[in-house]
Amino acid sequence: MDFTKLLNKHDLKITQARISLLELIEKENKPLDSQFLIDTLKQKFKVDKVTIFRILNVLTEHGILRKLEFGEGKARYELNTEDHHHLICQSCGNIEDISDCNIEALEKEIKQKKHFLVKLHTLEFYGLCKDCQKKSN
Amino acid sequence: MDFTKLLNKHDLKITQARISLLELIEKENKPLDSQFLIDTLKQKFKVDKVTIFRILNVLTEHGILRKLEFGEGKARYELNTEDHHHLICQSCGNIEDISDCNIEALEKEIKQKKHFLVKLHTLEFYGLCKDCQKKSN
DNA sequence: TTAGGTGCAAATGATTTGCAATAAT
DNA sequence: ATTATTGCAAATCATTTGCACCTAA
């Protein structure tokens, strides 16, 4: 994905930190926390953690990233692409994507019955992944 | 609700702090954050914030409370009753309950296709409540 | 050149921990 | 009497802020 073009479109300056962060998030392809991003990017070049937090905030405000919380007391970030959700293993912590949640029907019902206008929703599943079920944890 | 009996059933001691906290959460009937609980309970009797945090943790571990996060950088807690979800107004912050989400079909599909065993899910809707739509915020 | 981006130090806010004192059973 | 619970102080963790310096456009 061409992040230079993307940042340009949003009138955001092209910097090593921004490009590298976006490339890392794209490569890992799952919701990452700030600590992972800080540790990984610091190995590649000189960056301060404050810079990472500021980048995460701007990119989220511009809708380039999506901020998620899985009850861990910290946020995670992923590329804000199509509507999708997550399968979060409570044993090993692995996170898998799923799509096609088909919540539109529910949202329509909410609009009619509650007169609440849904802008976005979060839907996360917690349980045991295939492997952890075998380990009977 | 008889919280004395409930605490007994879980082999948790009956204390003023635990009973008052549970009664407050029951009375308010929406997800409350620690600060609100601390402020409100401190007016009624002498309690330390640490005690409140510890109570929230034990009660959550015992499944009496459910811990929720709405991307505010802090947790909220509610009585862990039936499966239900929330309509969170992005303008005024009001939180309304909804039930009957009918996610079972999706969970069944996840089990078959992904071999992931769903233990629990979160589903939250963010948008504008009836009143805030009028104010065109 | 100049507004936006970054680094460093220090602040904030939510939550946790250690330990001694206290209260519930 | 025994063990869980609480209070207080101090620590920790994620995240933010202020301000001077730097750099992409």
Side-chain angles (χ1 to χ4, degrees):
Chain A
M1 192 168 173
D2 188 345
F3 293 121
T4 300
K5 201 170 281 178
L6 181 63
L7 290 175
N8 261 325
K9 201 170 65 184
H10 286 268
D11 282 310
L12 294 169
K13 289 185 175 167
I14 316 303
T15 67
Q16 182 182 28
R18 287 174 176 176
I19 295 294
S20 303
L21 182 145
L22 282 165
E23 284 175 346
L24 179 54
I25 289 185
E26 179 184 44
K27 179 177 142 232
E28 293 290 331
N29 195 37
K30 63 182 167 187
L32 302 174
D33 58 56
S34 56
Q35 202 52 58
F36 176 86
L37 294 165
I38 291 163
D39 294 342
T40 310
L41 294 175
K42 272 198 168 173
Q43 285 172 230
K44 299 190 182 174
F45 57 97
K46 184 179 173 301
V47 235
D48 193 82
K49 63 173 189 298
V50 175
T51 301
I52 305 298
F53 278 111
R54 279 196 271 234
I55 291 174
L56 291 171
N57 287 338
V58 217
L59 297 184
T60 303
E61 283 158 22
H62 282 261
I64 295 169
L65 296 181
R66 180 187 300 142
K67 182 181 183 178
L68 301 166
E69 280 186 318
F70 296 150
E72 305 166 297
K74 68 184 175 191
R76 288 180 176 269
Y77 298 84
E78 65 180 3
L79 287 177
N80 187 14
T81 52
E82 2 61 58
D83 180 32
H84 71 280
H85 303 279
H86 304 92
L87 303 179
I88 302 144
C89 183
Q90 295 174 312
S91 175
C92 68
N94 187 53
I95 298 166
E96 188 182 352
D97 281 4
I98 51 164
S99 38
D100 304 320
C101 71
N102 229 57
I103 300 286
E104 295 80 38
L106 242 176
E107 292 190 0
K108 208 168 275 176
E109 204 183 317
I110 288 168
K111 193 167 183 177
Q112 286 168 352
K113 289 191 184 167
K114 304 280 187 173
H115 306 284
F116 183 99
L117 179 65
V118 176
K119 295 274 192 182
L120 60 95
H121 66 258
T122 63
L123 172 60
E124 314 302 344
F125 296 92
Y126 297 80
L128 294 174
C129 69
K130 199 175 170 179
D131 293 343
C132 289
Q133 285 174 57
K134 291 178 199 154
K135 291 178 221 146
S136 66
N137 299 346
Chain B
M1 192 167 170
D2 188 345
F3 294 122
T4 300
K5 203 170 279 177
L6 181 64
L7 290 174
N8 260 324
K9 200 170 67 183
H10 286 268
D11 281 312
L12 294 170
K13 288 183 177 167
I14 316 302
T15 67
Q16 182 183 27
R18 286 175 177 175
I19 295 292
S20 302
L21 182 145
L22 283 165
E23 284 176 347
L24 179 54
I25 290 185
E26 180 185 43
K27 178 177 143 232
E28 293 290 331
N29 195 39
K30 62 181 169 190
L32 302 174
D33 59 54
S34 55
Q35 202 52 60
F36 175 85
L37 292 165
I38 290 162
D39 293 344
T40 309
L41 294 175
K42 272 198 167 173
Q43 284 172 230
K44 298 190 184 175
F45 55 97
K46 184 180 174 299
V47 235
D48 193 82
K49 62 175 189 295
V50 176
T51 300
I52 305 297
F53 278 111
R54 279 197 272 233
I55 291 174
L56 292 172
N57 287 340
V58 217
L59 298 184
T60 303
E61 284 158 21
H62 282 262
I64 295 169
L65 296 181
R66 181 186 301 142
K67 182 182 184 177
L68 301 167
E69 279 185 321
F70 297 149
E72 305 165 296
K74 68 183 175 193
R76 288 179 176 269
Y77 298 84
E78 65 180 4
L79 287 176
N80 188 14
T81 53
E82 2 60 59
D83 180 33
H84 71 280
H85 304 281
H86 305 92
L87 304 179
I88 303 144
C89 182
Q90 295 173 311
S91 176
C92 67
N94 187 53
I95 299 166
E96 187 182 352
D97 281 4
I98 51 163
S99 39
D100 304 319
C101 71
N102 227 57
I103 300 286
E104 295 80 39
L106 242 177
E107 292 191 1
K108 208 168 274 178
E109 203 182 319
I110 288 168
K111 192 167 184 176
Q112 286 169 354
K113 289 190 183 167
K114 303 281 186 173
H115 306 284
F116 184 98
L117 180 64
V118 177
K119 296 273 193 182
L120 60 95
H121 66 259
T122 62
L123 172 58
E124 314 301 344
F125 297 92
Y126 297 80
L128 294 175
C129 69
K130 199 176 171 180
D131 293 342
C132 289
Q133 285 175 57
K134 291 179 200 157
K135 292 179 222 143
S136 68
N137 299 345

